[in-house]
Amino acid sequence: MTASSTTSEQLLVEARGVTVQYRMQESHTSTLKEFVLAKISGKASWKVSYALKNAALTVGKGECVALIGHNGCGKSTFLKVLAGILKPIEGEVLVRGRVAPLIELGAGFDPELTGRENVFLSCSLMGLSRKEIEERMEAIAAFAELGDYFDQPVKTYSSGMYMRLGFSCSTAIDAELLLIDEILAVGDENFQKKCFERLHKARREGVSLVLVTHDLNVVRQIADRALVIDHGEIQYEGDPRLAVDFYLDLMEKARIAALPEAVREELKRQVELKKNDRIHRDFSRGDAKISRVAALGKNGSLGVLTAGEPWTLEIEIDVLIAFPAPPVIGYAVRRPDGVRIFGSNTKTKAESGTPTPQSLKNKGRHVVRFCFDGLALASGTYSVIAAVHNHGLEATIEIIEIAGAIRVVDPNDEDNFDADLLAANQRSGTVEFIVPTAE
């Protein structure tokens, strides 16, 4: 869904010309007397800093919009404006429906009250009646996984427990709009997965999301649209993958600009040399997009696999422009330290007896499944790289990496005491293709 295809009645958020500024004192004083004297004498000086300048945003029903940018660019400020925490000096902001701000989890909790009592306090502030809170109480407690601590004062909680209870409250109010600010690393790994599952469930139910995060893989995977903010101004709005590329390019330019002149000149020389390379690699050029990457276990479990059991890696791509020959779809599995363990692609499979169907070159959504007879990895978490290349492998059309896409559990070695790999060159047994019918 894009803003241009959404009518005003379908919009949950309409923000136009939003400007937020702060006055910053340039001449510092250490006492009230010094401040008053500086004020009277006219020596007190201030400068205006813009946190947001003429920013605009629309969010449709069921849409997920990500805000990305460097630290201090205005992302969180924009989110606080949408939540009604900050009031802009200029602009219009209209937010429809019930809003759940996941900005500062647990904000407003009373440390002397128990977890249960703070649920009543927090949820009532977000608009729920006492009856509605009571109906959700046990579900909130179960999701937060606090056990007996749920009826203990929150001052006895760890920071992780505090945030888990805050997340459980904020996502239990059946909001139509979630405002999420850098809270996707809540708790341990298992609880993080629960958080993502809850957000995906909310999206399936038509809940809208405005997301602020530095995790660019999350932006690529769940956002429908992304905005890049730089020094308070929106510099780019559009496809999340292209927005990530724009942001990374922006950061690289800023990094290079801060280098000594001699180093910058050497980098320019290296760029010119690369332009003359025989092999040209064109990332995210728009001919095709990777829309989904999923590791499926024997019983259809998503992402969590059992060592030794069959599993499948699904890569779903959208071919946007018909190719002259079928593109090559490939993958690689990497350890957390970045070491590549194994990988393959459809061209290798074609050479070993599984031909790629010609229909893969046609426009539409295609699914390629790499099927494995048994999972030869030890317990641990692994990343998956998925890529689309042209038929001759001269150009990379798109390449993405999903950190933590695979979590392996070995019942005989759950902690992976030896930190070993059972096999360093696993090969997929078969490859399957699901292609759309011809137009």
Side-chain angles (χ1 to χ4, degrees):
M1 179 187 296
T2 62
S4 60
S5 63
T6 308
T7 65
S8 180
E9 292 75 18
Q10 293 175 308
L11 293 176
L12 289 186
V13 174
E14 293 182 84
R16 302 183 186 88
V18 175
T19 299
V20 176
Q21 70 177 28
Y22 298 102
R23 293 181 68 210
M24 302 172 64
Q25 186 177 354
E26 290 186 302
S27 56
H28 297 285
T29 56
S30 56
T31 66
L32 178 60
K33 179 180 178 181
E34 289 178 359
F35 174 77
V36 172
L37 290 175
K39 190 77 172 175
I40 294 173
S41 63
K43 293 180 180 179
S45 59
W46 304 80
K47 69 175 181 179
V48 174
S49 175
Y50 286 93
L52 282 175
K53 195 170 183 179
N54 196 31
L57 172 68
T58 59
V59 182
K61 292 181 180 178
E63 189 178 22
C64 177
V65 179
L67 308 180
I68 59 178
H70 58 81
N71 288 329
C73 71
K75 308 183 299 295
S76 297
T77 298
F78 208 169
L79 218 58
K80 289 176 181 178
V81 169
L82 300 181
I85 299 172
L86 291 177
K87 186 176 181 180
I89 61 167
E90 294 178 4
E92 298 177 331
V93 179
L94 176 61
V95 179
R96 301 180 177 92
R98 178 178 283 175
V99 179
L102 282 73
I103 297 176
E104 295 179 9
L105 292 178
F109 280 178
D110 187 328
E112 300 298 329
L113 299 180
T114 67
R116 186 182 301 274
E117 291 166 337
N118 271 295
V119 169
F120 279 108
L121 174 64
S122 178
C123 291
S124 61
L125 291 174
M126 289 188 282
L128 293 187
S129 66
R130 185 175 183 85
K131 181 181 179 182
E132 289 174 320
I133 298 171
E134 289 173 344
E135 291 171 350
R136 293 164 170 78
M137 183 65 71
E138 293 312 311
I140 292 172
F143 191 88
E145 299 178 356
L146 297 177
D148 294 337
Y149 279 95
F150 189 58
D151 289 301
Q152 297 299 317
V154 300
K155 66 181 180 182
T156 65
Y157 289 8
S158 68
S159 58
M161 295 164 67
Y162 196 89
M163 293 179 70
R164 277 156 44 188
L165 182 61
F167 184 92
S168 302
C169 291
S170 296
T171 56
I173 67 169
D174 297 332
E176 295 167 83
L177 175 66
L178 295 179
L179 305 177
I180 305 171
D181 188 6
E182 289 292 3
I183 53 83
L184 296 179
V186 177
D188 56 28
E189 184 180 345
N190 288 339
F191 194 82
Q192 288 178 37
K193 288 184 179 294
K194 285 180 61 176
C195 292
F196 276 107
E197 288 170 2
R198 173 157 286 192
L199 293 181
H200 283 298
K201 180 175 181 289
R203 290 212 62 198
R204 290 193 298 270
E205 293 173 350
V207 177
S208 301
L209 278 68
V210 180
L211 169 69
V212 168
T213 180
H214 285 288
D215 191 334
L216 301 181
N217 284 325
V218 170
V219 175
R220 294 186 185 101
Q221 288 294 301
I222 71 172
D224 297 306
R225 185 160 42 94
L227 281 68
V228 180
I229 304 177
D230 183 47
H231 295 94
E233 298 186 65
I234 296 174
Q235 300 293 337
Y236 181 92
E237 178 178 358
D239 181 275
R241 291 179 179 84
L242 298 180
V244 167
D245 290 344
F246 183 91
Y247 165 67
L248 292 175
D249 185 57
L250 205 64
M251 292 298 96
E252 181 64 9
K253 288 177 180 177
R255 184 187 71 83
I256 292 174
L259 295 173
E261 185 177 355
V263 178
R264 293 202 304 270
E265 290 302 318
E266 174 60 20
L267 287 174
K268 288 180 182 178
R269 188 184 70 84
Q270 292 179 11
V271 169
E272 290 301 318
L273 288 174
K274 287 182 180 179
K275 287 181 179 179
N276 297 322
D277 284 352
R278 183 174 60 86
I279 297 178
H280 174 59
R281 300 191 179 278
D282 185 6
F283 300 111
S284 298
R285 69 184 192 184
D287 293 353
K289 288 171 50 179
I290 299 171
S291 55
R292 188 174 67 95
V293 178
L296 304 173
K298 179 181 178 181
N299 299 317
S301 60
L302 178 62
V304 181
L305 311 177
T306 302
E309 291 189 352
W311 68 290
T312 301
L313 179 65
E314 284 191 356
I315 301 176
E316 187 175 282
I317 67 166
D318 290 319
V319 175
L320 307 177
I321 301 173
F323 287 90
V328 177
I329 316 302
Y331 73 92
V333 176
R334 297 207 307 187
R335 294 191 320 208
D337 60 5
V339 175
R340 182 182 185 275
I341 306 168
F342 62 89
S344 187
N345 59 58
T346 52
K347 188 162 189 174
T348 300
K349 289 298 171 186
E351 292 170 353
S352 61
T354 307
T356 303
Q358 289 296 310
S359 52
L360 190 63
K361 67 183 181 181
N362 298 333
K363 290 173 61 176
R365 177 158 293 183
H366 306 254
V367 178
V368 178
R369 291 188 181 131
F370 294 93
C371 306
F372 300 81
D373 298 329
L375 180 61
L377 291 178
S379 295
T381 302
Y382 303 86
S383 298
V384 173
I385 299 172
V388 181
H389 310 276
N390 75 329
H391 186 72
L393 298 178
E394 295 92 0
T396 300
I397 297 160
E398 179 160 66
I399 183 168
I400 64 172
E401 179 173 3
I402 297 92
I406 297 176
R407 178 170 173 254
V408 180
V409 177
D410 185 346
N412 299 314
D413 185 18
E414 292 185 2
D415 296 326
N416 190 9
F417 180 77
D418 296 322
D420 60 331
L421 294 172
L422 301 185
N425 193 26
Q426 175 167 306
R427 299 289 184 180
S428 56
T430 59
V431 61
E432 301 173 353
F433 300 90
I434 301 175
V435 298
T437 55
E439 295 182 359

